[in-house]
Amino acid sequence: MRLIGKSGTRSGAAVEADTDAWAESAESPDDRLGALPAQRTSGLSERPAVGGFGPDSLVHVSTRQFSAAVGPYGAGGEESPSGAALDPAGLDPTSFETALAARESAALEARHRQAADGGDADAAGRLGTLLLRRGDLEDAEPYLRAAAAAGVRAAANNLGVLLHQQGHRAEAGQWWHQAAVAGSAPAAHALGLQLRDQGEEEAAEYWLHFAADHGHPLGAYALGDLMEHRRDVRAERWFKVSADAGHREAAYRLARMREAAGDKETAEAWYRTAAARSHARAALRLGVLLEERARTDRSLLEEAARWYRQSAQNGEPRAACALGFLLRDSGELAAAAEWWQEAAEAGDGNAANALGALHASRGEAKEAEHWYRTALDAGDQNGAFNLGLLCAGTGRDQQAEQWYRRAAYAGHREACNALAVVLLQRGDESGAEPWFSKAAEAGSVDGAFNLGVLHAGRGEVRQAQEWYARAAAEGHGEAALQLAVAQEQRGNLAGALERYRQAAAGGSAEGAFRLASVLDRRGDADAEAEHWYALAADAGHRRAQVRMGVRAAERGALEIAESWYRRAAEAGSRSAAFNLGLLLARQDSEAEAMLWYTRAADAGHGRAALRLALLALRRGEPVQAENWCRRAMDYGPAEVAERAGRLLGALHAELSA
C-alpha cells in the first residue's frame, strides 16, 4: 500500500526551486502564465508542467560546477578534460539527460550574457529571467533592472518577482505596475494580489480583471476568489474561465459552488475535471458523490473507491478514512484497517475512532483505547465518548462517567444522553434531566425518547407525549410504539395503526408484533399480518415466534411450526415450550415432550403443570400427580386452576377409599 503523502506530490525542494511559474520569460512574454507572489490559497495555484530539454528544463547546477565536471560546451571535441570520452550509452540515461540539459543551459546563458554585456536589453532580460529561475537572485537583479529600465515589459514583471522574494514589496509593486500598464497580464495578476493583501480591494479587482480579460488563468481564479469572498455571483463565471484554461483549484471551487446550489450533476463533472489533474480534495468529493449515487447503482462503488484511493495517495486523510469504510462494508476488514491507520496517523480522528471500534469488536480493549485516545488528541470528541463506552463495557463505571462527562461538556449529544442514563440509574433524576434535555435539544433521538420516559414516570403525560412525538418524527421506533399504545388505549384504532406502522418501520419488534395483532383481530389483512409477525419473529420477538408457530400448525406445516416453537422455547418462552411439547406428543415423541412440559411448568405455565399431572396419573405416580396439580392451581389461569382442583379432589378421594 502506498503511504499517504508519499506519492503523487512534489517534494518541498522541487516546489521551492521552481520559479518557472513565477517569472515571465523574456523570450515569450505574452505566453507564460506568470505567478502568484501572495496567493491566498498557498500551494493550490497551478504550475505549468515542464517537459523536454533546454532552458525550460532548469537544472540547478551552476555554470562553473558544470564546466568543472564535463568541460565547457563544445570545447575539447568529443573528449572530456580528463581525456575520457563522454559515451551516452555508457551513462545512466537520467545523468546523461541532466548533463545535456545543463550544457544547453550553460551555452544559452553564455550567449545571453555576451549580448547583455554588449548593451542588448532583451538579452539582459532573458539572462536575468534565467538566473531568477535558477535562484541566483543577486546575479539576476542588475540584468533585470537594466532591461526593465530600458522598457522590457517581461523584465519589469520579473524584477517585481525578484524584489518580492527579497521582501521589498513596495518596489516590487512599482515594477509590476509598470509592466501591467504596458500590458503584462502576469504583472497585473501579481499587482492585483498585492493590492488585495493590502486591503485595496477596488484597485485589486481592476488589475485582476485586466489579467483575466487578457487570458491569464490565475488572474481569473484570483478574481473569482475575490468575488466569492464578497458573495458576488460573478465569482462562478471567473472560476469557470480559469477552470476551462486548466486551473484545477478553480475547477474544484466551481464544483463546490455547483454542489452548494444543488446541481450535483454539474458539480460531479467539475470534480472529475479537477480530480483528473490530481486535486486531492476534488477526488475526495467525487468519491463521496459517487458513493451517494451507489445507493441505487452499486456498480459505482468501485469507481468511488478508485477516486478515494487517488485522493488518499495524494495526501488527503479523509479519503483514506472513507476508503476504509467502503472496504469494511465489502468485508475487507484487513485492508480497511490499513487505510484507517494511515488516515489516523495523518491526524484524522474519524479514522482513529473507526480503528478503535474495530479493535473493540474483536475484544482488543487495549488497542481500542489507544486509537480512541488518538482520535481525542486529534480533536474528535467521539474519542472521549467511545472511551466511555469502552470503560462501561469493561466494568469501569467511574471512568466511563468521566469520559461521558468530558465529551458531554464538549457538546457531544450522545455523550449527554449516556451521562444522563448513568445518573438516572444512580437515582439522580434531578441531575439526569438537564443532560437529557441538552441531548434532545442538540438532536439526540435517544435523548428525546428518554426525556419522554422521564416525564411518563412522573405521570406528566402531555410532556412525555411531546418528546415521544419528537423522537418518533426522527424515526425512533420505541417512541412511536409508546404513542401507538396510547392511541389504542384511547380507542383510536386508525391512529394506533399508523403509529404501529411507524414503530415497525423504525425497527421496533414489539411495534411490528402489535401491528400484526391488530390486523389479525381485524381479520381483513391476513397476508399483511403474517408479514409483520414474521418480521418481529425474525428480530427475536418470542410472542411473534409462537404466533408464527401456531399459524404454521393451523396450516398443517408442522416442521415449520416446530422450528418456530423451538426458537422461542430456547429463548425462554414458556408458551412455546408447552406448544412444542404438544406437537411432539402428537408425533409420538412423548419423552422429549415431557422435557418441554417440565421446562414450561418450571417457568410457571399452568397448563403444562396440569398436563404433567395427568401424565403422572397415567404412569401410576399419584404423589407426582398431586404435586403438579398443586402447582397448576397456583399458576392458573382460573380455568386451569379449577380443573387441577377437581383432579386433586379426585386423587384424595381415591387415595382415602
Side-chain angles (χ1 to χ4, degrees):
M1 181 178 298
R2 299 172 68 183
L3 295 177
I4 294 176
K6 297 294 179 75
S7 61
T9 56
R10 299 165 60 185
S11 69
V15 172
E16 184 177 347
D18 180 8
T19 56
D20 188 51
W22 285 54
E24 178 179 308
S25 170
E27 298 170 8
S28 53
D30 294 322
D31 294 336
R32 308 296 284 179
L33 287 183
L36 309 182
Q39 187 64 274
R40 176 176 293 165
T41 50
S42 177
L44 299 177
S45 61
E46 296 299 304
R47 294 181 180 272
V50 178
F53 307 106
D56 284 339
S57 297
L58 298 179
V59 179
H60 304 290
V61 180
S62 71
T63 307
R64 294 183 183 87
Q65 288 175 312
F66 178 76
S67 297
V70 299
Y73 187 82
E78 295 180 359
E79 298 293 319
S80 69
S82 63
L86 274 175
D87 180 9
L91 296 174
D92 175 79
T94 305
S95 301
F96 175 71
E97 291 169 359
T98 300
L100 181 60
R103 278 192 171 189
E104 292 177 350
S105 179
L108 181 65
E109 180 181 338
R111 291 199 301 272
H112 287 335
R113 193 179 295 275
Q114 183 178 5
D117 290 343
D120 188 329
D122 285 335
R126 294 189 186 98
L127 177 60
T129 298
L130 190 151
L131 294 169
L132 173 61
R133 291 177 181 171
R134 198 164 66 202
D136 295 340
L137 304 189
E138 186 176 346
D139 290 343
E141 185 174 351
Y143 289 105
L144 288 175
R145 283 191 181 277
V152 178
R153 188 180 73 184
N157 174 56
N158 291 335
L159 179 57
V161 172
L162 184 148
L163 292 167
H164 182 87
Q165 289 184 353
Q166 292 177 332
H168 306 308
R169 297 177 183 274
E171 189 181 358
Q174 293 171 5
W175 287 110
W176 279 331
H177 187 273
Q178 177 177 314
V181 169
S184 170
H189 168 238
L191 179 60
L193 291 178
Q194 186 178 65
L195 290 167
R196 181 202 66 188
D197 293 344
Q198 292 171 357
E200 301 177 47
E201 290 193 358
E202 187 174 346
E205 182 178 344
Y206 172 84
W207 286 113
L208 291 176
H209 216 299
F210 178 92
D213 283 340
H214 284 74
H216 196 283
L218 296 179
Y221 170 76
L223 181 58
D225 183 45
L226 181 65
M227 288 181 170
E228 186 184 37
H229 173 68
R230 295 175 174 176
R231 302 182 184 278
D232 189 324
V233 294
R234 294 176 296 168
E236 187 171 331
R237 171 198 170 193
W238 292 110
F239 281 145
K240 186 176 186 305
V241 168
S242 184
D244 284 337
H247 194 293
R248 65 180 188 179
E249 177 67 15
Y252 171 73
R253 297 279 290 275
L254 180 57
R256 291 307 299 259
M257 294 180 77
R258 287 288 84 216
E259 185 179 5
D263 183 4
K264 290 191 176 182
E265 184 176 352
T266 304
E268 183 179 324
W270 283 112
Y271 281 137
R272 196 177 294 277
T273 298
R277 296 168 184 157
S278 298
H279 193 291
R281 286 173 296 157
L284 169 62
R285 290 302 309 165
L286 178 56
V288 170
L289 291 184
L290 289 168
E291 189 176 358
E292 289 176 355
R293 286 174 52 203
R295 294 169 187 165
T296 55
D297 183 358
R298 302 292 293 176
S299 65
L300 293 173
L301 284 177
E302 185 177 345
E303 187 183 359
R306 188 165 67 250
W307 289 114
Y308 283 148
R309 184 173 286 105
Q310 175 182 304
S311 179
Q313 289 172 342
N314 283 333
E316 178 52 75
R318 292 174 297 173
C321 179
L323 179 57
F325 282 111
L326 268 189
L327 291 167
R328 180 205 63 183
D329 293 343
S330 64
E332 300 178 57
L333 285 179
E338 289 182 26
W339 284 107
W340 281 335
Q341 183 165 341
E342 290 198 14
E345 289 172 351
D348 190 281
N350 193 26
N353 275 314
L355 201 54
L358 181 62
H359 284 292
S361 69
R362 295 170 176 169
E364 299 164 352
K366 185 176 180 180
E367 291 81 359
E369 184 169 342
H370 165 75
W371 289 111
Y372 288 150
R373 288 182 181 274
T374 299
L376 188 58
D377 291 340
D380 191 329
Q381 292 302 324
N382 278 314
F385 175 62
N386 287 333
L387 282 166
L389 293 175
L390 186 68
C391 290
T394 53
R396 293 176 286 168
D397 294 338
Q398 186 174 356
Q399 288 177 278
E401 182 180 339
Q402 291 171 353
W403 286 117
Y404 288 149
R405 196 175 293 276
R406 175 170 175 173
Y409 274 112
H412 193 289
R413 64 190 187 189
E414 299 308 329
C416 293
N417 179 63
L419 177 59
V421 170
V422 169
L423 294 172
L424 190 61
Q425 290 173 340
R426 203 163 62 207
D428 186 4
E429 184 177 313
S430 61
E433 185 174 358
W435 288 112
F436 277 139
S437 295
K438 188 173 182 180
E441 294 294 349
S444 169
V445 180
D446 287 338
F449 173 71
N450 288 335
L451 201 53
V453 172
L454 196 67
H455 284 293
R458 297 174 183 164
E460 299 166 352
V461 177
R462 183 182 60 80
Q463 294 93 324
Q465 294 289 301
E466 288 176 358
W467 286 109
Y468 286 148
R470 188 162 172 175
E474 296 298 322
H476 196 290
E478 297 305 318
L481 175 63
Q482 296 300 320
L483 295 170
V485 170
Q487 292 284 359
E488 188 174 6
Q489 288 173 346
R490 288 198 291 267
N492 182 3
L493 196 59
L497 277 172
E498 181 183 351
R499 286 297 188 181
Y500 281 138
R501 290 185 194 280
Q502 188 178 3
S508 170
E510 179 68 19
F513 173 74
R514 286 176 175 260
L515 173 58
S517 298
V518 171
L519 294 170
D520 207 0
R521 291 197 304 270
R522 211 170 63 177
D524 59 354
D526 188 68
E528 187 182 0
E530 178 94 5
H531 166 74
W532 292 113
Y533 278 138
L535 199 69
D538 285 334
H541 193 284
R542 292 182 299 180
R543 285 184 295 163
Q545 290 169 343
V546 172
R547 191 61 61 89
M548 287 295 291
V550 169
R551 291 168 74 89
E554 289 173 348
R555 295 195 303 267
L558 299 185
E559 289 186 5
I560 296 175
E562 182 180 340
S563 174
W564 282 117
Y565 288 150
R566 282 190 185 277
R567 283 183 62 179
E570 288 168 355
S573 169
R574 62 188 188 185
S575 295
F578 176 67
N579 288 355
L580 181 57
L582 290 175
L583 192 64
L584 291 167
R586 292 178 192 144
Q587 296 172 345
D588 297 327
S589 299
E590 192 165 296
E592 188 181 358
M594 287 281 293
L595 295 175
W596 289 109
Y597 288 148
T598 303
R599 181 180 290 192
D602 287 342
H605 196 284
R607 285 189 173 85
L610 181 58
R611 181 59 61 105
L612 286 168
L614 293 170
L615 290 172
L617 276 176
R618 186 188 302 171
R619 292 194 307 270
E621 298 173 352
V623 176
Q624 287 290 341
E626 182 178 348
N627 290 336
W628 284 118
C629 281
R630 293 187 185 282
R631 292 177 66 175
M633 291 172 64
D634 291 338
Y635 297 154
E639 177 190 349
V640 171
E642 182 182 351
R643 289 182 60 192
R646 290 200 305 268
L647 181 57
L648 185 59
L651 273 172
H652 284 164
E654 185 177 340
L655 289 173
S656 61

